[in-house]
Amino acid sequence: MSDKMTLQEQVHESFRLYMLANGLRQTRERYAILHAIYETEGTFTIDDLQKIMEKNRFYVSTNTLYLTTQLLVEANLLIRHPFSSSASVFERIADDRPRSYQICSHCHRITRIKSKELAASLETYHSRSFHITHRIVYVYGTCASCQRAMHKRLKAANVNSSTK
Amino acid sequence: MSDKMTLQEQVHESFRLYMLANGLRQTRERYAILHAIYETEGTFTIDDLQKIMEKNRFYVSTNTLYLTTQLLVEANLLIRHPFSSSASVFERIADDRPRSYQICSHCHRITRIKSKELAASLETYHSRSFHITHRIVYVYGTCASCQRAMHKRLKAANVNSSTK
DNA sequence: GTCAGTGCAAACTTTTTGCAACTAC
DNA sequence: GTAGTTGCAAAAAGTTTGCACTGAC
C-alpha cells in the first residue's frame, strides 16, 4: 500500500480487499460505517456510532452496525476494548504502532501511555506464521490518588496482619 | 507478602487488605467466590462461575457473582478480557508476570504467547506514581490458515487494484 | 436472476436495579 | 443497632435472530 494514501484511503482499500478475499459484498452501508469510524478519534460504542451516522444523514439499522463492526474487527480495522461489562467499547486502528493503556482498576480511569520504549520493545515481537496487524498493551494497577485513599483508610482501620 | 504463602493464601490476604482498605465487609460469599476462581485455570464467564460454585455446594445469587467479580477486578485479582461482545470473559491473575495473547481476528482463535523476551520487555515499563499490578498484551492479526484461505480467494477473484 | 445484506421487530442473553431479609462490624 | 451485603425478582440494556425486501454481483 502506497505511503501517499491518506488514512481514509488506506482503510478503504484494506476493507475492499478484505471483502474481496472473503466473498463479501461491497455495500454503501459498509463503507459509510467505515468512514464514520475513521472520522472519529478515541473510543466509541454502537450507540455513539449510530449518532455519528445520523449526524452524517446516513441511516443504517442497529443490526447493520453490529454486523459491520464485527466485520471490521475481523478485518483488523477496529479493536474492541475490555473497558465495559455491558456495551462494547471500540476504537479505530489509526496505524500499526502498538497502543498502550494505563488503567486504574479502582477508579476506572484510563490514560494512553506515550512511552516510545514500550512501543519499540513490543514491535520486536514477531511470530513465524502469524501475520501481526496490531499490538495492544493494558497496564493495570492503582493510580496515585486511589493508593493514597486506601493507605489512609488502612491506617485508620489499624491493620493487624492476623488470620489468613 | 511472604514467599512461603501459597497462591490461595496470597490472594486471600490481598483481598482481605483490599476490603479493609475500602471499608468493605468480609463475607463468606466473597471468599468462597475468590477461592472458586483461584481453583480454576483459564478463562470463564459468570455462567461458568455459577456452575463451579454449585459444584462446590456453595450457593450464591447471580447478583452476588456480578458484584463480586467486579470487586475482584477492582482489587486487581481478576481481569476482564475483550474476547466476547456478549458475556464477559474473566481470568484470574496467577502472578504478576505479563500475560500475552495472540488472537486471530478472523477465526477468533486465541493462544497464549510464551515469549520470555516479550514478557521481559514489558516488565521494563514503570510509571512514577501509578502502582502497576499486571500487564497484558494482545497481539492481533491473521493466523496462517486464515491467510492461506484469503490469498486463495483473492487470486480466484483475480484482483485488479482499481478504484479507491 | 440469484443470493448476500439490510431493515424491522421480536426474542434472547447479559447486566443492572429495587427492596426485604440477613449479618459483619 | 446500624449499615453494608445478599437473594430474589423485575427491569433495563445490549446483542442476536427471523423474515421479507432490496441491491450487489
Side-chain angles (χ1 to χ4, degrees):
Chain A
M1 236 172 283
S2 163
D3 292 329
K4 289 174 190 163
M5 294 172 89
T6 66
L7 180 59
Q8 290 266 355
E9 287 168 346
Q10 279 179 39
V11 295
H12 185 113
E13 178 64 7
S14 219
F15 196 26
R16 189 182 76 83
L17 289 174
Y18 181 81
M19 290 190 277
L20 212 52
N22 290 284
L24 301 168
R25 291 184 181 169
Q26 298 175 52
T27 65
R28 291 180 346 107
E29 287 82 357
R30 285 176 175 167
Y31 283 121
I33 292 168
L34 177 71
H35 291 135
I37 288 172
Y38 273 80
E39 78 190 21
T40 70
E41 283 204 49
T43 61
F44 64 90
T45 62
I46 293 287
D47 201 55
D48 298 330
L49 184 53
Q50 192 138 44
K51 277 170 189 144
I52 296 166
M53 296 297 289
E54 272 168 24
K55 204 189 62 199
N56 288 357
R57 298 178 180 281
F58 193 112
Y59 183 80
V60 289
S61 69
T62 315
N63 193 347
T64 300
L65 290 177
Y66 277 103
L67 293 169
T68 307
T69 47
Q70 192 180 322
L71 208 58
L72 289 169
V73 169
E74 289 171 359
N76 286 311
L77 292 167
L78 189 61
I79 51 179
R80 173 184 289 119
H81 286 298
F83 296 159
S84 163
S85 56
S86 43
S88 291
V89 176
F90 297 99
E91 189 170 10
R92 70 177 210 195
I93 297 163
D95 49 50
D96 53 8
R97 286 275 114 78
R99 339 194 89 197
S100 316
Y101 302 84
Q102 184 169 281
I103 303 161
C104 175
S105 304
H106 196 253
C107 68
H108 308 116
R109 204 186 310 274
I110 298 157
T111 43
R112 280 289 292 278
I113 298 174
K114 301 287 185 188
S115 165
K116 281 180 183 164
E117 293 78 31
L118 181 57
S121 69
L122 280 165
E123 282 178 327
T124 62
Y125 175 74
H126 291 93
S127 181
R128 198 182 313 281
S129 53
F130 190 90
H131 175 244
I132 297 172
T133 56
H134 51 292
R135 300 162 171 87
I136 306 179
V137 189
Y138 299 99
V139 174
Y140 290 91
T142 317
C143 70
S145 67
C146 285
Q147 281 178 68
R148 270 197 300 278
M150 284 196 246
H151 273 136
K152 199 173 157 185
R153 198 139 192 176
L154 258 186
K155 264 189 189 167
N158 197 9
V159 196
N160 50 352
S161 289
S162 67
T163 64
K164 58 144 192 178
Chain B
M1 240 172 282
S2 163
D3 292 328
K4 290 175 191 164
M5 294 172 90
T6 66
L7 180 59
Q8 290 266 357
E9 287 168 347
Q10 278 179 42
V11 295
H12 185 112
E13 178 63 7
S14 223
F15 196 26
R16 189 182 76 81
L17 287 174
Y18 181 81
M19 291 190 277
L20 212 52
N22 290 282
L24 300 168
R25 290 185 183 171
Q26 299 174 52
T27 65
R28 291 178 348 108
E29 286 83 358
R30 285 176 176 165
Y31 283 120
I33 293 168
L34 176 71
H35 291 134
I37 288 172
Y38 273 80
E39 80 189 21
T40 71
E41 282 205 49
T43 61
F44 64 90
T45 62
I46 292 287
D47 202 53
D48 298 330
L49 184 53
Q50 193 138 45
K51 277 166 190 145
I52 296 167
M53 295 296 289
E54 271 167 25
K55 204 190 63 198
N56 288 356
R57 298 176 181 281
F58 194 112
Y59 182 81
V60 288
S61 69
T62 315
N63 192 348
T64 301
L65 290 177
Y66 277 103
L67 293 170
T68 307
T69 48
Q70 192 180 323
L71 208 58
L72 288 169
V73 169
E74 290 172 359
N76 286 312
L77 292 168
L78 189 62
I79 50 179
R80 173 186 288 120
H81 286 298
F83 297 157
S84 162
S85 54
S86 42
S88 292
V89 176
F90 297 98
E91 191 170 10
R92 71 176 208 193
I93 297 164
D95 50 50
D96 53 8
R97 286 274 114 79
R99 338 194 90 198
S100 316
Y101 302 84
Q102 185 169 280
I103 302 162
C104 175
S105 304
H106 196 253
C107 68
H108 307 117
R109 204 186 311 272
I110 298 158
T111 43
R112 281 288 291 278
I113 298 174
K114 301 286 186 185
S115 166
K116 282 179 182 167
E117 293 76 31
L118 182 56
S121 69
L122 280 164
E123 283 179 324
T124 62
Y125 176 75
H126 290 94
S127 180
R128 195 182 316 279
S129 54
F130 191 89
H131 175 243
I132 297 172
T133 56
H134 51 292
R135 303 161 168 85
I136 306 179
V137 190
Y138 299 99
V139 173
Y140 291 92
T142 317
C143 71
S145 66
C146 286
Q147 280 177 69
R148 272 196 300 277
M150 284 198 245
H151 274 136
K152 200 173 160 186
R153 197 138 194 175
L154 257 185
K155 265 188 188 168
N158 197 10
V159 197
N160 49 354
S161 289
S162 67
T163 64
K164 60 144 194 180

